[in-house]
Amino acid sequence: MNRIFDNTEVAFSLKSDAQLERAYFLFKMIANEPLVKIGTAVTNFAIKAHLPVEGLIRATVFDHFCGGVNEEDCLPIVKSMYEKGVRSVLDYSVEGKEEEAQFESCYNKVISLLDFAAEKQEMPFSVFKPTGFGRLELYQKVGEKAVLSKFEQEEWDRVVDRFDRVCQHAYNLGVTVLIDAEESWMQEAADQVIEQMMAKYNKKSTIVFNTLQMYRWDRLDYLKKLHERAKKEEFRLGFKLVRGAYMEKENERAEEMGYPTPICASKKETDENYDAAATYIMDNLETISIFAGTHNEASNYLIMDIMDAKGIKVNEDRVWFGQLYGMSDHITFNMAEKGYNVAKYLPYGPVRDVMPYLIRRAEENTSVAGQTTRELSLLKQERKRRKI
């Protein structure tokens, strides 16, 4: 496979000189770990204290990593990316809600997003987080098979019902729904519900996708076992493969509570685990579809090489690639130019509500060795090419 990711002219074709400069400034900041720690602490404080920082956040980090505050706000970005062959996955990135009214509101938002996506060829997917539909503690209790009170059982029934109505609506509209993965201690229950949805709605085509976090050493086995079941029961599987975004939280909790960490022992092990899962899916495309969510160049090349070796066409509809908006444009836009199915995750929502997501992105970039360095070197290369 030729090194297609080095073409910065294609990678940054949608960025004006000013946007390129902002990206360069942001990644220089993110490359400084102490600065990120201080910045996130100050930002958290400013938001909690209701200080007027939204304008500053909006003009810098928010506009770089987010599509806007609402769906309409995102449309110019969605349209301009589509002109370059890149689809969008609109992700309403509001986290950490706890009340029924908020869950119902999130459900309504997901339904309206499905309707929004159904009318636009630029948006073949919709997405939601399980904790958008119910409390994390409730998922945990269900996953641990704890006895639920009558009230909790009714609450859980409502959670399952929200999943079902969303998947039914997606099925009726023909829009694929990607369901995110979260902390391991709530994932067991989420997996159970998503398996039910796959068995029900993935009979003819793959409408429902679960997410596998491959920094967890148990996920490859989970994939293989579920595949055996799916073959017997004759339903299709869809998986978004990611490495994972809660590593520090997972390791800290495991240590505190005295159980073995669910996270692979090293970055190398995680990479091998990711690539093994991707290879397994590519060997079983007749029954499993893949959305490879990764900023790792080697993993993208691996899947592209397998496609090439097996004679799978670049725009095969069971194979998708995805990156986050504001990151890894060198992967997204160069792949799109070659005709691969590729989409950007486009987070949006009120500035204050999206801050937990943005802070996680900044911390994740800082902790992934080489990610920020690579972004910076490509931005430098493009500035030089443009003579900025």
Side-chain angles (χ1 to χ4, degrees), residues 191-208 210 222-223 225-239 284 286-289:
D191 287 343
Q192 287 169 23
V193 183
I194 298 164
E195 286 168 28
Q196 284 174 40
M197 299 302 127
M198 283 186 183
K200 188 171 176 182
Y201 296 108
N202 287 2
K203 290 288 190 192
K204 295 192 182 102
S205 61
T206 316
I207 291 293
V208 182
N210 197 0
Y222 170 77
L223 163 61
K225 280 190 185 119
L226 183 56
H227 186 216
E228 288 310 309
R229 184 188 144 198
K231 282 191 288 191
K232 283 191 195 106
E233 296 177 25
E234 296 185 343
F235 63 92
R236 293 186 53 82
L237 297 174
F239 286 111
N284 290 283
E286 67 284 356
T287 46
I288 318 179
S289 298

Side-chain angles (χ1 to χ4, degrees), residues 348-360:
Y348 76 100
V351 177
R352 278 174 190 280
D353 291 339
V354 174
M355 279 319 293
Y357 166 85
L358 287 172
I359 285 167
R360 215 170 58 239

